[in-house]
RNA sequence: GCGGUCAUGGCGAAGUUGGUUAACGCACCGGAUUGUGAUUCCGGCAUGCAUGGGUUCGAGUCCCAUUGAUCGCCCCA
């Protein structure tokens, strides 16, 4: 029996896990600076949470959820995104009553969607997301956007494009929605089947249909921006002026629509120009969701957040040839010769390691020459050589692999030298 | 759910109109160098070409099916 990894999943092997760790650290570090606190929620939830929180009409709920029954007959679903869980926890733990408002949270973890895998789209993928709940100050919208942009920029990504839009508040949305229906209804038969279905359910989605994008009614369709009421318009302008004051360039795209139902006012996406990027250009999606907490059973509470995929980030870094400062090397490699030395190795290694030295040795019965090669491959700074001569004199040979110089000295002195050299590097 | 492409050693990859010993490179192991990592040279490393059927005197090469990977559509992160 040969076992294979499930479709749409991947093993992250040591050569890339170092990069994962690096970008995760970057996210943690950034959130610390912005004062967002980490939240860890379960990887599965009651199915109904996602139906309510993500929206029954969305593709995610309709065809992409990993849903199963547990032994108690409860319907559970592997989380397809992080916001619903975060909001559930917010409500369940009564965070609306916490002293510090807004409540600023972030998460990093795997999400699951049952889809055909392709470039930048996996069945299990890792999202880094941020949620700020309790404030509807446009400054916090700008803060959340700035956090996402900084994340990419500090990692060295180029060619980013921030696209923003306003979906308006409830009133603006409704007016716009009616205008759209009026606009498309007379000639809806000229559109694809999907769009015909969208007309009543969610006419906004017609606007980002790829099949019908050249239809003349698309260009002339009423823009949400024309339907923003005074309050929403002011809000959007404030967000823009905050972004400008942070020198974050952006583009307003009235066609930017969110796939998830709970968004209102601010919506944004961070995209990347992409050779080698295929169909995927969206790195981050985010926006404001003032109705969601209530939908999940909490008090009326505004919120805003984003989610971004670490897979796509790493893909972007790779296509741009950005090399992360990840290094896997050890301080020393112990080379033993002869049975006596071999017997002393474990005790010696233990001592070195307890001194904080990263050290390894041979367990394959290799000859000395092969042990040197292994030391090289592991990019060890030093080799420690232990043979009969050294044992007889109660010493060890310390060789600097960069300079090639070596000397015979006591173990304690060798340890001091290695530690000294480590300090020099830092 | 629907399309395109692909599937040869640890990895990258040759493999011509089907023809008998499946190139080559990298990595790895050993030797030249019996206590020192470069280079060089020599040697080793696929009873098998995703799986199962079929055509044929003969199949990695042709046909069918299955599985998987990958890219795209839909949609999104």
């Amino acid at each position: 029996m040969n076992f294979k990894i499930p479709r749409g999943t991947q093993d992250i092997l040591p050569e890339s896990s170092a990069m994962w760790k690096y970008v995760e650290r970057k996210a943690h570090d950034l959130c610390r600076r912005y004062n967002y606190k980490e939240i860890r929620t379960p990887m599965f939830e009651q199915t109904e949470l996602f139906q309510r929180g993500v929206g029954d009409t969305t593709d995610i709920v309709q065809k992409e959820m990993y849903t199963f029954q547990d032994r108690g007959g409860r319907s559970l679903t592997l989380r397809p995104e992080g916001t619903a869980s975060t909001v559930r926890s917010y409500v369940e733990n009564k965070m609306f009553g916490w002293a510090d408002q807004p409540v600023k949270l972030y998460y990093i973890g795997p999400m699951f969607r049952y889809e055909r895998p392709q470039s930048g789209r996996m069945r299990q993928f890792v999202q880094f997301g941020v949620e700020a709940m309790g404030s509807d100050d446009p400054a916090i919208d700008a803060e959340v956007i700035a956090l996402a942009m900084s994340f990419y920029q500090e990692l060295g990504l180029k060619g980013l494009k921030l696209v923003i839009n306003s979906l308006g508040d409830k009133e603006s949305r409704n007016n716009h929605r009616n205008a759209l229906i009026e606009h498309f209804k007379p000639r809806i038969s000229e559109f694809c089947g999907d769009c015909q279905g969208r007309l009543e359910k969610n006419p906004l989605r017609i606007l980002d249909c790829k099949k019908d994008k050249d239809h003349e009614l698309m260009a002339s369709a009423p823009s949400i921006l024309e339907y923003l009421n005074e309050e929403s318009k002011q809000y959007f302008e404030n967000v823009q002026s905050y972004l400008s004051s942070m020198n974050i360039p952006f583009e307003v795209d009235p066609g930017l629509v969110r796939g998830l139902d709970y968004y209102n006012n601010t919506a944004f996406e961070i995209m990347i120009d992409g050779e080698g990027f295929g169909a995927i250009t969206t790195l981050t999606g985010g926006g404001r969701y003032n109705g969601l907490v209530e939908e999940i059973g909490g008090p009326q509470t505004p919120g805003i957040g984003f989610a971004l995929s670490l897979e796509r980030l790493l893909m972007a870094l790779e296509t741009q040839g950005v090399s992360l400062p990840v290094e896997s090397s050890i301080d020393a490699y112990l080379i033993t010769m002869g049975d006596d030395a071999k017997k002393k190795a474990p005790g010696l290694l233990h001592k070195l390691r307890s001194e904080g030295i990263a050290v390894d040795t041979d367990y394959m019965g290799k000859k000395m020459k092969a042990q040197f090669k292994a030391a090289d491959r592991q990019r060890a700074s030093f080799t420690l050589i232990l043979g009969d001569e050294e044992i007889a004199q109660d010493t060890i040979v310390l060789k600097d692999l960069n300079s090639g110089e070596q000397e015979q000295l006591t173990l304690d002195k060798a340890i001091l030298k290695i530690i000294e050299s480590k300090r020099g590097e830092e």
Side-chain angles (χ1 to χ4, degrees), chain A residues 266-284:
Chain A
T266 311
F268 69 97
E269 255 174 42
I270 298 170
M271 329 239 276
I272 186 156
D273 331 334
E275 291 121 76
F277 238 78
I280 303 299
T281 55
T282 301
L283 254 31
T284 299

Side-chain angles (χ1 to χ4, degrees), chain A residues 360-420:
Chain A
D360 204 354
T361 193
D362 169 58
Y363 294 104
M364 300 302 288
K366 285 187 168 126
K367 308 237 167 97
M368 184 176 64
K369 181 177 170 140
Q371 292 188 55
F372 263 101
K373 283 191 170 182
D376 253 355
R377 260 203 311 276
Q378 307 273 338
R379 274 168 291 169
S381 306
F382 295 94
T383 49
L384 286 160
I385 307 164
L386 186 68
D388 293 340
E389 266 176 50
E390 288 77 18
I391 292 172
Q393 295 170 39
D394 202 22
T395 60
I396 196 156
V397 168
L398 177 70
K399 177 169 185 174
D400 182 326
L401 284 181
N402 295 315
S403 67
E405 285 166 21
Q406 68 179 55
E407 57 184 315
Q408 190 169 349
L409 68 189
T410 64
L411 179 60
D412 287 341
K413 279 193 179 141
I415 288 172
L416 283 177
K417 283 218 151 193
I418 294 170
I419 289 173
E420 202 176 298

Side-chain angles (χ1 to χ4, degrees), chain A residues 152-168:
Chain A
Y152 296 119
Q153 274 158 357
E154 291 187 14
L155 288 167
L157 252 171
K158 302 268 187 288
L160 297 167
K161 189 169 78 173
L162 170 64
V163 180
I164 62 172
N165 189 27
S166 175
L167 305 174

Side-chain angles (χ1 to χ4, degrees), chain A residues 4 21 65 80 95 159 273 307-308 359 361 381:
Chain A
K4 274 168 295 179
K21 214 183 295 176
M65 294 213 298
M95 295 185 204
D273 331 334
L308 63 86
V359 58
T361 193
S381 306

